[in-house]
Amino acid sequence: MHKSAITALLCYNGSVKKHSLSQLFLYRYRFQIGFFLLAIVYIAILFGLPLLAPNGLSEAEMESVAHSYALQPDSILKGDLVDLPYRALQKLSISLFGLTVYSVKLPSIIIGLLLGLLMVLSLNRWFKTNVALLASILAVLSASFLFLAGSGTPLIMLVFWPTLLLWLGSKIQGVTKPKPMYCFVFAFALLASIFTPHLIYLAAFIVLFALLHPHLRFTIKTLPTIPLILTLFIILVGLAALVVAAFVNPSIIAELLLAPGLTLGGFIDNIKVAFLPLFSWNTTLESQFLSPFVGLASIALAVIGLLSTAKGFFASRNSIATCLIIFTIFLAGLNPECAILILLPLAILIAHGLRYILDKWYNLFPDNPYARVSAVFPIGIFIGIMIFGGFTHFLFGYHYVPMVADEFDNDLTLVRENLTSGETLYIINDETAYNFFQVLAADEGTMKVENTIPDPSNMPEKYATLGKKSIPGDLNTIITSSKSNNSDRIYIYTNNYQALEEVGEDLITEEEKE
């Protein structure tokens, strides 16, 4: 057969197979199906987080509950604006569902749901759909992201606001005629973000970055005049509100801007403390962050992504990722918990790394569909191992790694299960726990919480103490916890006793325990 005829036949057969493949339902809607399955899995995991890990509440979560519950309708007039959106949502959750582990974490779960959506939308806007899908899976199902969405503290807002601002910025930048609504929402988001501790530096960074970056500067010049003026007006009003709030309540200045008493040596130490759990493979210090907070495979992909974009640094998404890493290091020097912001630039760099790997593979076989499809299997296995390893690391690490698990306790569950109506709980020398259980007492109105021990003659008929504290009375029951340390958590007493000579001994004697 003539050579040209053979070539034509092969091309015909290839085109028929390609045409048939493109008509398959699973092939045509593969990305929609992938994003749908990701959404189902992510939502199921999010709302199951309080039942999975971490096991209990941390001290930071208890402080957040007490701070949120103290929020009043006139708090804005009093200048109490720090983390206001999160605190309002957490107080609403507690008011509706009572003080439980689930209601404490529910605000972060809801915001985590929005954050995951914003992460997917941002990656899908900046990258091809196949890269965006894989990068989204790695981002929102990682152990670090799940911890953030399951922590009942305003820490998640530190990642939520920058992600929202980046997505809104992507809807404005690179569009011939951006919709005014995106400009207004961007201004309001920028305004709300400055009331999250240390994010006022991010607002200043965004403004400075937009003025210095050539692409973004051109976008600003092409914006319609009226939306631009209104956006600037909203930002100025927000800054004026911040100044007024600082005048009424000067304490918010330290919360939003500074780290009181911080020295250069302390700044460097904070950076070390912040990033040690992120990249170390040996948990050696007590922290609520599980090591490694970012897996080795994710770091490798991020490094590949960073190196592959070195030549195109001034492209918006490349320079934004690099500058966000530098900015995160600066914030971590002020507060080690701010290192959590590294998740956002890492997600962008991981997407770059995946794009680079897929492009290199496809360039090797530009006309061979079988070779191109064969890349799905090793990449799928690689992604699957990363997700499964990260999830099991999250699930078991927060239960069984002593340095991390000890940062959480299940005292709330023990108190609710073992103290009945009318009983008094004494909490001595633990202000955080006292303020937290005051919320429980106020919410249910059935128990009393005290931080001082009265005269033995005024003791109630039945009462309890939290932690190791000996007080007058007959010890009836010791309630233990499954945590690694401080297993004897609650001591229940009755009023049938002879007054002890000394009140407030540090430890219970062996005779009392028996």
Side-chain angles (χ1 to χ4, degrees), residues 46 162 166 473 475:
L46 271 189
L166 281 182
L475 181 61

Side-chain angles (χ1 to χ4, degrees), residues 302-439:
V303 170
I304 293 173
L306 182 63
L307 295 177
S308 67
T309 60
K311 293 182 180 179
F313 175 78
F314 286 103
S316 297
R317 64 192 179 198
N318 304 346
S319 52
I320 286 174
T322 305
C323 292
L324 271 176
I325 292 175
I326 298 173
F327 180 73
T328 302
I329 295 173
F330 166 74
L331 287 188
L334 299 177
N335 182 0
E337 287 189 346
C338 293
I340 193 71
L341 183 57
I342 200 74
L343 294 180
L344 179 56
L346 280 182
I348 299 173
L349 292 178
I350 287 172
H352 275 299
L354 288 171
R355 177 193 58 79
Y356 178 81
I357 293 173
L358 290 175
D359 286 348
K360 287 297 182 182
W361 179 264
Y362 290 157
N363 289 337
L364 290 176
F365 308 99
D367 300 318
N368 189 337
Y370 300 102
R372 292 167 68 92
V373 172
S374 65
V376 173
F377 298 102
I379 291 177
I381 294 174
F382 177 67
I383 299 294
I385 291 174
M386 289 180 64
I387 295 172
F388 180 77
F391 184 73
T392 54
H393 179 60
F394 166 80
L395 185 62
F396 297 113
Y398 279 103
H399 279 276
Y400 302 115
V401 176
M403 285 71 72
V404 179
D406 194 42
E407 296 295 308
F408 303 85
D409 63 61
N410 56 351
D411 290 344
L412 174 61
T413 303
L414 296 177
V415 168
R416 294 178 68 95
E417 290 177 351
N418 294 280
L419 267 68
T420 58
S421 176
E423 295 181 354
T424 302
L425 177 66
Y426 292 99
I427 303 175
I428 313 300
N429 298 329
D430 192 341
E431 184 178 358
T432 299
Y434 171 72
N435 294 333
F436 175 77
F437 283 102
Q438 282 279 68
V439 175

Side-chain angles (χ1 to χ4, degrees), residues 140 189 193 280 445 499 510:
V140 302
S193 69
S280 67
E510 294 298 326

Side-chain angles (χ1 to χ4, degrees), residues 101-337:
V101 173
Y102 205 98
S103 66
V104 171
K105 297 177 181 291
L106 184 59
S108 291
I109 292 173
I110 295 173
I111 296 173
L113 186 62
L114 297 175
L115 177 58
L117 176 62
L118 289 172
M119 191 79 74
V120 171
L121 290 176
S122 299
L123 293 174
N124 196 43
R125 186 166 181 81
W126 285 343
F127 300 92
K128 292 181 180 179
T129 308
N130 58 343
V131 174
L133 176 58
L134 294 177
S136 298
I137 293 174
L138 291 179
V140 302
L141 296 183
S142 64
S144 49
F145 200 93
L146 293 177
F147 167 78
L148 189 66
S151 175
T153 69
L155 186 64
I156 192 173
M157 305 305 294
L158 199 66
V159 183
F160 174 78
W161 292 123
T163 307
L164 175 61
L165 290 170
L166 281 182
W167 178 72
L168 290 171
S170 71
K171 301 291 287 186
I172 298 172
Q173 192 268 336
V175 179
T176 306
K177 291 183 179 180
K179 295 180 180 180
M181 181 58 66
Y182 289 120
C183 299
F184 300 148
V185 176
F186 183 90
F188 280 114
L190 191 66
L191 162 63
S193 69
I194 66 177
F195 294 100
T196 296
H198 308 306
L199 281 192
I200 191 171
Y201 297 113
L202 177 66
F205 165 74
I206 289 175
V207 174
L208 181 62
F209 187 80
L211 294 176
L212 295 179
H213 198 284
H215 295 172
L216 300 179
R217 191 166 60 246
F218 175 78
T219 300
I220 294 174
K221 291 180 181 179
T222 57
L223 287 176
T225 304
I226 295 179
L228 181 60
I229 293 176
L230 290 177
T231 300
L232 293 175
F233 176 74
I234 294 172
I235 294 174
L236 292 176
V237 170
L239 293 175
L242 177 62
V243 172
V244 172
F247 179 78
V248 176
N249 183 16
S251 63
I252 70 170
I253 298 176
E255 292 185 72
L256 297 178
L257 293 175
L258 307 172
L262 184 65
T263 62
L264 179 60
F267 183 86
I268 297 174
D269 290 339
N270 282 346
I271 295 176
K272 294 179 181 178
V273 172
F275 290 102
L276 183 60
L278 268 71
F279 303 111
S280 67
W281 276 259
N282 220 349
T283 302
T284 57
L285 75 164
E286 294 183 359
S287 170
Q288 60 179 337
F289 295 149
L290 184 65
S291 299
F293 202 63
V294 179
L296 179 61
S298 298
I299 294 296
L301 284 174
V303 170
I304 293 173
L306 182 63
L307 295 177
S308 67
T309 60
K311 293 182 180 179
F313 175 78
F314 286 103
S316 297
R317 64 192 179 198
N318 304 346
S319 52
I320 286 174
T322 305
C323 292
L324 271 176
I325 292 175
I326 298 173
F327 180 73
T328 302
I329 295 173
F330 166 74
L331 287 188
L334 299 177
N335 182 0
E337 287 189 346

Side-chain angles (χ1 to χ4, degrees), residues 82-102:
V82 178
D83 289 321
L84 183 61
Y86 186 92
R87 291 170 57 200
L89 187 59
Q90 191 169 55
K91 182 169 183 177
L92 177 63
S93 174
I94 295 172
S95 301
L96 291 177
F97 305 108
L99 183 59
T100 63
V101 173
Y102 205 98

